[in-house]
Amino acid sequence: MSLHAPRFCAAATLFVVQDVLKTVAHYRDVLGFDVGFTYGDPVFYGGVERDDVTIRFQAADKTQRRSGQGAVNVFVTEVDALHDELKSRGAMILQPPGDRP
């Protein structure tokens, strides 16, 4: 059991794109974002940041979403405690917390 209450820390918009590296470069070179990370070989996931804004990009061939669609990733502390809280409130849990690649 956690000693700390769960806390929502941040959120990042996720856009599905055809070419993650090209998109990251555009946001860096044209829109002035810093590259936060790129992931995979070949790269299929990446993120950029500017001030308090974080945007993530996922390759269209690595998701069921279509290019141009998106989502929001919400980052929290104490994820297991939050899972238990939301489950006790009747939330529909599609996939429980766990370590994933």
Side-chain angles (χ1 to χ4, degrees):
M1 180 164 204
S2 171
L3 299 176
H4 302 285
R7 188 174 79 80
F8 286 73
C9 302
T13 301
L14 173 77
F15 292 125
V16 177
V17 299
Q18 290 297 318
D19 186 326
V20 171
L21 283 177
K22 185 176 178 180
T23 302
V24 166
H26 174 79
Y27 273 73
R28 180 194 63 219
D29 299 341
V30 178
L31 301 177
F33 280 75
D34 293 321
V35 177
F37 69 94
T38 56
Y39 181 79
D41 185 19
V43 172
F44 65 88
Y45 192 61
V48 296
E49 302 167 348
R50 182 166 178 175
D51 301 323
D52 293 331
V53 173
T54 300
I55 302 172
R56 306 279 169 95
F57 307 106
Q58 184 176 24
D61 64 351
K62 295 292 186 181
T63 182
Q64 293 180 358
R65 294 182 188 102
R66 293 188 174 112
S67 185
Q69 292 182 327
V72 174
N73 298 309
V74 177
F75 305 99
V76 301
T77 64
E78 308 301 332
V79 68
D80 292 320
L82 181 60
H83 169 264
D84 294 344
E85 173 193 328
L86 297 177
K87 188 174 178 181
S88 74
R89 293 172 177 256
M92 180 177 24
I93 307 295
L94 299 179
Q95 200 173 52
D99 295 331
R100 294 178 179 76

